Amino acid sequence: MGVPKRTFLYIARHYLKNFLILLIGLSLAVVFIDFLQQAQRLHGGANRKILYAFYTWEYMVALIYPLVILMAMAWTQISFIYRNVFVSLFSFGFGRRQILIPFLASGVLIYLVFTGLQMTSFAYGQDRARMILHADRYKDALNNLFFKYNDSFVYASRLDPLHKALLRGMIFEVKKNQVVRTLRFDEARFHDGEWIAPRALVRSKRFDTEGELTGFEDKELKNMILLKGYRPKVFRKIYEGGTFSLVDSLAALHLLKKQGLSADKVKAILYNKVLTPLFALAMMVIFFYRTPLYHRFVRKEQLWTALLGSALLTWALLFALFRLGMNGVIDPDLGQTLPILILILYAWRLDRRIRRQEAPLARLRGNGAQLG
């Protein structure tokens, strides 16, 4: 038996209203406190301060929305319990699983919306706020780059992400721990997934049949293709630090794995954006099934403290695991995925138990409908 449309919309509307109130209120409160703390360090006109507040708000909304999903769940549950909404729904023959569906569907919708936003510039709110706050620190952050590319090592004096240009660079090709060729360029520009140097000077070593060095060969090449796959934005984020959008996370992950470099930081960011918020959906199920739905069995203060405390504790633990994964202290593949998997399995077990308990009642309702 499904959930009637009117009932579904009634529950979802109340939940989403509480979610928006809590999300806007909490995020603006945190932004206001942060703005007061940083006001003395924000130089420039009003536009600069407004942008800082807006970018900080974007970051805070993305950070706390899983927690707000649970806070809105707790608020709505307590409100329905004290208004006897659940009792009324049970009297109409609804089971717990049917009442849970609107809550869970609303949570999934919120998760999908914010995951979609993480594919856009919304994901870079924190980085943009930091750039406004620490303008001097970020001004020369991309000078003197040195990194690995396949079997080569690359040096560039400067990366200009705005114009998608690498300036005054050298590439050292290595075989068997020896430099066999060097490539020097004054400028290379990014186009269609690759860097192109209009003019490059190549010096190659010449060897005899016994492998002894006999000399060097110099030549000049036009429009030489370099560094396939190093997108400017990914390039910048790897060296500056900060976060990634989902699209850039996947690109950076592919690039770092291809180069044989550690991708723990990128994986930690990717898991934090996609996997970690799922804990809120799992705990929605746990909250609903583990909470008494009758007024006489509930004390509002104790229930609110228990629900909010468990939500905050779980959220804080997962955020700590994310930071440890970013710093390489733990393996993100294990440290960030295992707690989520445990919560999902526990929620599934609770749902399965409720399904078995409600199965006889569902059959009776079905038989009654047929007799009628």
Side-chain angles (χ1 to χ4, degrees):
M1 178 176 166
V3 183
K5 181 179 179 180
R6 183 174 295 181
T7 304
F8 183 97
L9 292 177
Y10 175 81
I11 296 174
R13 184 173 67 251
H14 279 78
Y15 173 79
L16 291 174
K17 180 188 71 174
N18 293 337
F19 173 82
L20 289 174
I21 291 172
L22 287 170
L23 182 69
I24 294 172
L26 287 175
S27 61
L28 289 179
V30 175
V31 170
F32 180 71
I33 294 172
D34 178 81
F35 187 84
L36 291 179
Q37 292 176 337
Q38 306 296 346
Q40 299 298 324
R41 303 172 62 182
L42 286 170
H43 305 292
N47 289 344
R48 190 180 182 89
K49 295 177 180 179
I50 292 173
L51 282 174
Y52 173 79
F54 176 73
Y55 291 143
T56 303
W57 177 79
E58 283 188 332
Y59 166 64
M60 288 309 307
V61 165
L63 178 65
I64 68 173
Y65 89 86
L67 178 62
V68 178
I69 286 177
L70 295 177
M71 294 177 68
M73 180 73 178
W75 185 4
T76 309
Q77 268 191 268
I78 293 173
S79 174
F80 280 8
I81 290 171
Y82 275 79
R83 289 162 49 199
N84 293 316
V85 173
F86 290 132
V87 174
S88 300
L89 292 174
F90 289 150
S91 67
F92 280 103
F94 292 105
R96 277 201 175 209
R97 296 185 75 245
Q98 292 173 289
I99 300 174
L100 174 63
I101 289 174
F103 289 107
L104 195 58
S106 301
V108 170
L109 176 63
I110 294 167
Y111 167 78
L112 293 176
V113 168
F114 277 92
T115 303
L117 288 174
Q118 292 295 337
M119 299 181 184
T120 67
S121 59
F122 178 88
Y124 293 111
Q126 181 186 20
D127 291 348
R128 291 174 175 176
R130 285 178 176 175
M131 289 180 70
I132 292 174
L133 187 62
H134 306 290
D136 295 337
R137 181 191 304 177
Y138 286 92
K139 185 177 179 181
D140 299 317
L142 300 176
N143 289 340
N144 300 320
L145 306 179
F146 188 75
F147 56 94
K148 182 179 180 290
Y149 174 73
N150 295 336
D151 295 326
S152 305
F153 293 90
V154 183
Y155 167 81
S157 63
R158 183 170 179 81
L159 168 66
D160 185 352
L162 182 62
H163 298 96
K164 299 181 179 180
L166 272 177
L167 306 177
R168 296 182 297 279
M170 290 189 67
I171 298 178
F172 305 88
E173 293 187 8
V174 179
K175 290 184 180 179
K176 297 180 179 179
N177 297 323
Q178 290 188 356
V179 176
V180 296
R181 188 169 78 151
T182 60
L183 186 149
R184 185 189 303 268
F185 58 90
D186 292 326
E187 182 183 46
R189 291 189 176 271
F190 184 78
H191 180 70
D192 290 338
E194 55 196 17
W195 296 82
I196 301 175
R199 176 176 173 270
L201 301 176
V202 180
R203 168 168 285 193
S204 304
K205 290 182 178 181
R206 291 200 304 263
F207 299 91
D208 58 21
T209 56
E210 297 180 356
E212 296 294 331
L213 179 64
T214 60
F216 297 91
E217 178 183 355
D218 295 324
K219 59 182 177 180
E220 181 177 320
L221 300 176
K222 302 292 185 181
N223 297 323
M224 188 170 185
I225 296 175
L226 315 166
L227 308 179
K228 290 184 179 181
Y230 271 84
R231 296 167 55 190
K233 187 180 290 187
V234 174
F235 220 146
R236 179 173 186 169
K237 291 300 175 183
I238 290 174
Y239 279 90
E240 275 189 348
T243 189
F244 292 84
S245 68
L246 293 183
V247 176
D248 291 336
S249 293
L250 294 174
L253 190 62
H254 174 74
L255 177 63
L256 293 172
K257 284 189 174 181
K258 184 178 179 181
Q259 303 304 322
L261 302 175
S262 174
D264 285 351
K265 178 180 178 181
V266 179
K267 286 194 290 185
I269 293 173
L270 186 61
Y271 292 154
N272 188 59
K273 292 180 181 296
V274 178
L275 189 63
T276 299
L278 293 176
F279 92 92
L281 303 181
M283 291 195 70
M284 286 181 79
V285 179
I286 297 170
F287 276 8
F288 189 77
Y289 287 152
R290 301 294 294 180
T291 302
L293 300 182
Y294 296 96
H295 187 186
R296 64 179 180 271
F297 298 126
V298 173
R299 292 188 61 181
K300 184 186 296 185
E301 297 80 7
Q302 291 181 351
L303 180 59
W304 178 253
T305 301
L307 294 179
L308 184 59
S310 59
L312 280 169
L313 182 62
T314 306
W315 179 74
L317 175 62
L318 293 173
F319 185 76
L321 292 174
F322 160 62
R323 300 303 302 182
L324 292 174
M326 277 195 66
N327 295 327
V329 177
I330 63 173
D331 183 2
D333 292 326
L334 182 63
Q336 289 180 255
T337 59
L338 185 59
I340 305 299
L341 181 61
I342 292 173
L343 286 173
I344 292 174
L345 289 175
Y346 181 60
W348 173 79
R349 184 179 178 184
L350 282 177
D351 183 73
R352 189 179 179 186
R353 182 190 304 169
I354 296 296
R355 189 187 313 167
R356 288 199 302 265
Q357 292 175 356
E358 293 184 348
L361 294 176
R363 286 195 293 270
L364 286 175
R365 287 195 296 267
N367 293 335
Q370 291 177 1
L371 291 174

